[in-house]
């Protein structure tokens, strides 16, 4: 569905024709631009937009199907960028991602959003409160969206760090490893970090290109993006670098915590096995003695001694005490 469509001239929103073609022509004549926002459009809904703004067929296909990696692609008549906003639910330790596709061209911006995350109404409203920034044209829209998405990455990384510290405290708590489902919680947490990395990692190269710091074949100027915006995109790129470093640190830490938990579990099992073995050894001696005297042979002189029964009991007790002290000294019990 079409969420919003506005014409911007000199940094201010103005009323204009509802027809996309007429709105685009009016915006170009006045030195402004058109910003069309859509949320999970159908093929029929998007077909009208793609025809009016001459969007490339491959980019249109990506925008409709979604499930794309963050990227930046240059076509003859437009620039196509994909961002993946991230949301984190602390109660369920779940990371969810959406998608924002941005088409940038001559005097127009088309944004396509997929997922149930926060929309772009907040970004649009903030830009409309800054006419000077909005007056930079479509480049300002691309920057504002990228800045909003990456800033939220920082918030999510902070929340993940807090929850991971709680999980770490549980693993190294005095009860030696937390509850039985601790390992599954750690593994699930690692999966969430992996999902987060899929959104942040691939975005590094597009932000470098937009900031004018690309390498190799990506050093060329990006069309439809004002060169004066390079410092702003470099700032976003710096924030993204911090996020990626934080994600790498979280991933290493959660792997170390999982290894520590498994090691603790192994040590606990070894301790339990030593205790079981010690008690089994202590039970073996009286069992052996009782077994010998339970064979009921006629020629067993001990059976006819007056003190044979208390003597056997005393021997069992002494041996049990000696074994118990020996195992206790070795910390098997």
């Amino acid at each position: 569905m079409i969420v919003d469509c506005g014409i911007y001239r000199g940094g201010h929103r103005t009323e204009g024709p509802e027809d996309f073609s007429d709105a685009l022509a009016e915006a170009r004549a006045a030195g402004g631009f058109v910003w069309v926002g859509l949320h999970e459009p159908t093929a029929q809904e998007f077909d009208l937009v793609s025809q009016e703004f001459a969007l490339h067929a491959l980019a249109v296909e990506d925008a409709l199907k979604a499930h794309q990696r963050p990227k930046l692609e240059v076509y003859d008549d437009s620039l196509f960028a994909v961002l993946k906003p991230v949301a984190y639910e602390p109660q369920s330790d779940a990371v969810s991602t959406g998608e924002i596709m941005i088409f940038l061209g001559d005097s127009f911006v088309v944004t396509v959003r997929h997922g149930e995350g926060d929309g772009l109404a907040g970004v649009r409203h903030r830009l409309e409160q800054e006419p000077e920034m909005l007056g930079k044209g479509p480049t300002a829209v691309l920057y504002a969206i990228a800045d909003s998405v990456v800033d939220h990455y920082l918030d999510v990384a902070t929340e993940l760090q807090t929850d991971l510290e709680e999980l770490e405290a549980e693993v190294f708590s005095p009860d030696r490893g937390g509850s039985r489902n601790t390992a599954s919680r750690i593994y699930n947490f690692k999966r969430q970090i992996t999902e987060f990395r899929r959104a942040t990692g691939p975005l590094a190269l597009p932000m470098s290109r937009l900031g004018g710091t690309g390498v190799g074949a990506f050093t060329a100027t990006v069309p439809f993006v004002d060169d004066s915006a390079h410092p702003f995109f470099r700032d976003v790129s710096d924030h993204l670098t911090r996020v990626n470093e934080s994600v790498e640190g979280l991933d290493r830490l959660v792997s170390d915590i999982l290894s520590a938990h498994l090691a603790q579990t192994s040590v606990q099992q070894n301790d339990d096995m030593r205790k079981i073995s010690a008690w089994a050894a202590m039970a073996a001696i009286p069992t052996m003695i009782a077994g010998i005297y339970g064979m009921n042979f006629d020629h067993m002189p001990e059976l006819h001694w007056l003190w044979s029964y208390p003597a056997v009991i005393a021997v069992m007790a002494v041996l049990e005490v000696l074994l118990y002290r020996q195992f206790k000294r070795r910390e098997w019990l």
Side-chain angles (χ1 to χ4, degrees):
M1 59 177 295
I2 298 176
V3 178
D4 198 356
C5 176
I7 300 177
Y8 297 88
R9 303 185 184 93
H12 298 278
R13 181 167 182 161
T14 61
E15 296 298 328
E18 296 183 358
D19 182 78
F20 292 144
S21 180
D22 294 339
L24 181 59
E26 184 175 326
R28 285 174 174 170
F33 68 95
V34 179
W35 181 358
V36 180
L38 303 98
H39 178 235
E40 297 183 354
T42 63
Q44 292 76 13
E45 290 174 335
F46 200 58
D47 184 59
L48 175 62
V49 177
S50 62
Q51 290 181 6
E52 294 294 346
F53 294 101
L55 304 180
H56 196 279
L58 293 177
V60 170
E61 181 181 358
D62 289 345
L64 287 174
K65 290 185 177 180
H67 303 294
Q68 303 296 317
R69 297 174 74 250
K71 61 182 179 179
L72 181 68
E73 295 182 352
V74 178
Y75 297 101
D76 293 337
D77 298 320
S78 63
L79 181 71
F80 180 60
V82 178
L83 306 176
K84 294 182 76 71
V86 172
Y88 180 60
E89 181 55 49
Q91 284 73 24
S92 58
D93 294 340
V95 170
S96 59
T97 59
E99 289 185 50
I100 298 176
M101 284 79 168
I102 307 170
F103 295 87
L104 230 70
D106 181 16
S107 302
F108 72 85
V109 179
V110 177
T111 55
V112 182
R113 185 171 60 87
H114 291 267
E116 298 300 327
D118 295 337
L120 297 176
V123 176
R124 189 188 289 261
H125 178 72
R126 286 193 299 273
L127 273 177
E128 290 176 353
Q129 303 306 310
E130 301 180 21
E132 184 177 355
M133 174 66 73
L134 194 56
K136 302 295 182 181
T139 301
V141 177
L142 177 60
Y143 161 72
I145 296 174
D147 185 58
S148 176
V149 169
V150 173
D151 280 350
H152 194 60
Y153 286 167
L154 290 170
D155 296 336
V156 172
T158 301
E159 293 177 355
L160 284 171
Q161 180 67 46
T162 300
D163 284 358
L164 186 57
E165 289 173 357
E166 295 176 358
L167 190 59
E168 184 180 19
E170 177 183 335
V171 169
F172 294 103
S173 61
D175 62 356
R176 307 180 73 178
S179 60
R180 293 183 178 180
N181 66 343
T182 299
S184 62
R185 284 192 58 201
I186 297 173
Y187 180 72
N188 179 67
F189 201 91
K190 188 174 180 64
R191 291 190 63 182
Q192 304 311 312
I193 293 176
T194 301
E195 183 70 17
F196 189 24
R197 177 187 284 175
R198 290 196 187 104
T200 64
L203 189 58
L205 182 56
M207 286 298 105
S208 296
R209 293 184 63 187
L210 290 170
T213 58
V215 295
F218 299 106
T219 57
T221 300
V222 179
F224 309 109
V225 174
D226 195 333
D227 290 345
S228 63
H230 286 171
F232 295 93
F233 285 110
R234 282 198 294 269
D235 181 67
V236 176
S237 182
D238 288 342
H239 291 176
L240 182 62
T241 299
R242 287 173 49 197
V243 171
N244 284 327
E245 289 175 350
S246 178
V247 172
E248 290 293 334
L250 288 171
D251 187 61
R252 288 194 299 268
L253 185 57
V254 76
S255 296
D256 292 342
I257 291 174
L258 180 58
S259 298
H261 174 69
L262 295 177
Q264 281 186 328
T265 302
S266 179
V267 170
Q268 174 105 31
Q269 290 174 344
N270 288 339
D271 288 342
D272 293 342
M273 287 303 299
R274 285 191 303 192
K275 291 178 181 180
I276 294 172
S277 300
W279 287 111
M282 293 174 64
I285 289 179
T287 301
M288 180 187 68
I289 295 175
I292 292 174
Y293 285 95
M295 291 187 292
N296 296 324
F297 290 129
D298 289 336
H299 302 289
M300 292 183 70
E302 296 86 353
L303 296 177
H304 303 288
W305 292 352
L306 179 63
W307 297 99
S308 59
Y309 177 73
V312 169
I313 297 299
V315 169
M316 287 182 181
V318 170
L319 291 176
E320 290 294 296
V321 170
L322 291 176
L323 277 176
Y324 180 82
R325 293 183 62 184
Q326 183 70 11
F327 287 138
K328 197 71 174 177
R329 186 181 299 113
R330 297 190 176 208
E331 297 183 351
W332 280 40
L333 289 174

